[in-house]
Amino acid sequence: MMMSQLSQFKAGAEDSSSAGIMWCRGFLQQTVRSISTSGQAGVLFDVDGVLLRGGVLIPAARRAFRKLLDRNNNFLFPVVFVTNAGSCQRHHKAQQLSRLLEVQITPEQVVLSHSPLQMLKAFHDKCVLVSGQGPVTDIANTLGFQKVVSVEQLREHHPLLDMVDHNRRPKLPSSPLQTLPNIEAIILFGEPIRWETNLQLLIDVLLTNGSPGCAYNPQVPAQLPVLACNMDLMWMAEAPSPRFGHGMFLVCLESVYRKMTGRELQYQALLGKPSLLTYQYAEQLLRLQNYNRKLTTIYAIGDNLMTDIYGANLYNRYLGQKNAAMATTTKLVAQGTGSQMTMAVPEEELVSAPAQCRSILVCTGVYNPRSPLPSDCSVTESVFHGHKDLKLELELVEPNHVVDDVEAAVDLLLQQESLVTSDL
């Protein structure tokens, strides 16, 4: 639906506040105030470019959230914030959103790009090398990983590896350091601060099968597992144009690996939007807020065609396949995200899955409203900004709705839900 068609939805949007299940933040004190028991909508909000530009609140965001609260400051619908940020803990992001939006947000309402890693328990007892910025070691421990080595630790133990910046070359230790265990997997949390250091040491680990103190082995039998969070090529901060994201760092790493080995870098899992794992995890959190009852529709609001819209539309495709055999469904959707891993979904949850996921694109972030929506001419393999393992399908980057900002998105979904409720 184009922007000129959206004005009809804005009038009377707030009158729909009596529809749906009312829920109170804090799972132990939830209350329900609804006549209808047939279902409920849920809302997924992106953060950067939708609610914030860098650390600055977009003015429409606070107005939008006032419309999503009842007179007791309870949300009208289950709400989850799904962001590809990953350099902090969930409770820190919840605190930031609570302060800026002037609404109490709990950590259980936040999905960061790395949040689904806690479900990948097969890797929790392996020695993992973590790359990124912020408290990545603490984040990995919180997610369940028991043996964590940071790039900085690796650099200190192998001071001859990082040679680009002559002024930063580590000094040889006066006494031998404790030997690090062999690296068994790599977790890429987000873009690092010193790209050259991380690129060098990651390649060292990959080409030595986890023993970077050894010489390269060009005939490594199998590549170490790589788990990558956040595929955003770019993201919107305060600058006039988007900034490089972790996806850009992955492009560099993939290019160096290909140049060195002649092979493509393989990922065991790709997490964060548009990964299926991320949307499955977010839906679980929505369901918890709805007393595990069925959600009829999920509205996904974002500013990035290649992550927010692609992911929401891909998840909608998955929901459309929910009545097929679980193995077939999982295989089909995994092809869309390039990840070798998906979440094991019980068959009863497939039956009670939402009917649809509606994608809403806002014009306050990465998406430029002066540019045309994707077409055969505007999106080609040469300018596709999605990850290399994503399949370019035009229908996946076409939003269900385009609106000015998050307030218009909330007006739209409120109007849509009031129409659904009136038909019950």
Side-chain angles (χ1 to χ4, degrees):
M1 183 177 297
M2 303 311 293
M3 238 180 298
S4 60
Q5 297 173 294
L6 292 174
S7 57
Q8 58 182 307
F9 291 110
K10 295 185 178 180
E14 295 184 45
D15 294 336
S16 62
S17 60
S18 61
I21 295 176
M22 317 295 291
W23 65 278
C24 179
R25 297 168 308 277
F27 299 136
L28 298 179
Q29 298 179 342
Q30 290 183 347
T31 58
V32 177
R33 185 167 65 90
S34 175
I35 298 175
S36 170
T37 59
S38 61
Q40 167 76 317
V43 189
L44 302 179
F45 285 98
D46 181 30
V47 176
D48 292 305
V50 175
L51 306 177
L52 309 178
R53 290 281 294 265
V56 180
L57 187 73
I58 294 173
R62 194 169 290 152
R63 297 195 301 268
F65 274 80
R66 291 195 187 107
K67 296 179 179 182
L68 281 176
L69 299 175
D70 69 2
R71 65 188 62 185
N72 296 317
N73 286 329
N74 297 324
F75 279 111
L76 302 177
F77 308 100
V79 169
V80 168
F81 300 86
V82 185
T83 172
N84 274 352
S87 59
C88 65
Q89 302 272 21
R90 292 169 70 186
H91 65 275
H92 289 141
K93 181 60 69 174
Q95 290 171 357
Q96 179 197 32
L97 292 171
S98 298
R99 175 174 53 83
L100 292 174
L101 293 171
E102 299 180 354
V103 177
Q104 186 60 43
I105 307 298
T106 68
E108 292 81 8
Q109 290 177 269
V110 176
V111 177
L112 302 173
S113 60
H114 53 67
S115 297
L117 281 171
Q118 63 184 312
M119 299 186 297
L120 306 186
K121 299 185 184 300
F123 291 96
H124 286 183
D125 61 351
K126 296 184 182 297
C127 181
V128 296
L129 174 67
V130 294
S131 169
Q133 59 180 285
V136 289
T137 300
D138 292 339
I139 292 172
N141 291 147
T142 301
L143 292 168
F145 295 91
Q146 303 165 22
K147 306 171 188 175
V148 182
V149 176
S150 68
V151 169
E152 191 59 34
Q153 286 177 301
L154 196 67
R155 180 176 176 270
E156 292 175 357
H157 279 74
H158 299 281
L160 300 179
L161 298 183
D162 185 17
M163 292 286 107
V164 174
D165 187 343
H166 291 214
N167 296 322
R168 285 187 70 246
R169 289 186 178 181
K171 296 179 181 179
L172 293 174
S174 56
S175 59
L177 297 174
Q178 181 181 356
T179 303
L180 290 176
N182 200 57
I183 304 297
E184 299 174 280
I186 294 172
I187 302 178
L188 306 175
F189 277 105
E191 60 270 27
I193 295 175
R194 294 188 174 273
W195 288 30
E196 79 282 358
T197 296
N198 288 60
L199 286 171
Q200 178 69 75
L201 270 63
L202 288 169
I203 291 294
D204 289 338
V205 169
L206 286 166
L207 298 189
T208 60
N209 201 32
S211 301
C214 302
Y216 289 171
N217 176 9
Q219 304 299 325
V220 174
Q223 182 202 296
L224 285 178
V226 177
L227 314 176
C229 309
N230 182 2
M231 293 167 271
D232 281 355
L233 191 73
M234 296 181 290
W235 66 288
M236 202 68 193
E238 294 95 335
S241 299
R243 304 294 85 194
F244 290 169
H246 190 217
M248 197 70 77
F249 178 79
L250 297 181
V251 170
C252 296
L253 178 62
E254 293 156 8
S255 178
V256 174
Y257 186 82
R258 187 186 314 111
K259 193 73 171 179
M260 296 284 291
T261 67
R263 301 187 299 271
E264 293 290 337
L265 182 67
Q266 302 297 316
Y267 295 92
Q268 190 73 15
L270 293 169
L271 304 172
K273 297 173 294 186
S275 164
L276 172 63
L277 273 169
T278 295
Y279 285 87
Q280 289 177 314
Y281 184 75
E283 186 202 325
Q284 279 194 348
L285 298 185
L286 289 174
R287 287 164 59 97
L288 284 175
Q289 295 173 28
N290 201 37
Y291 290 105
N292 215 32
R293 284 182 287 200
K294 180 176 179 178
L295 296 163
T296 53
T297 301
I298 293 176
Y299 295 92
I301 303 170
D303 70 306
N304 193 325
L305 287 170
M306 303 306 166
T307 52
D308 303 308
I309 303 306
Y310 189 111
N313 290 343
L314 186 68
Y315 197 57
N316 185 61
R317 176 184 294 178
Y318 164 78
L319 295 175
Q321 299 168 347
K322 65 182 181 296
N323 293 321
M326 183 162 43
T328 303
T329 301
T330 299
K331 181 178 179 181
L332 287 173
V333 177
Q335 290 175 354
T337 58
S339 178
Q340 300 178 34
M341 305 189 70
T342 54
M343 193 170 102
V345 181
E347 192 168 354
E348 60 270 19
E349 287 196 18
L350 282 175
V351 174
S352 61
Q356 61 180 339
C357 180
R358 305 289 291 177
S359 57
I360 305 178
L361 179 67
V362 300
C363 303
T364 51
V366 171
Y367 172 67
N368 183 352
R370 293 183 295 274
S371 300
L373 286 175
S375 66
D376 292 324
C377 298
S378 63
V379 176
T380 65
E381 292 289 352
S382 61
V383 296
F384 180 50
H385 286 179
H387 188 267
K388 72 177 182 69
D389 289 348
L390 300 179
K391 292 178 61 178
L392 173 57
E393 296 185 44
L394 294 178
E395 66 180 39
L396 292 179
V397 292
E398 183 176 347
N400 295 123
H401 308 276
V402 182
V403 297
D404 288 326
D405 53 35
V406 67
E407 183 182 17
V410 168
D411 287 344
L412 172 62
L413 73 88
L414 287 173
Q415 180 66 25
Q416 296 278 43
E417 288 306 301
S418 69
L419 292 175
V420 170
T421 305
S422 65
D423 291 337
L424 293 177

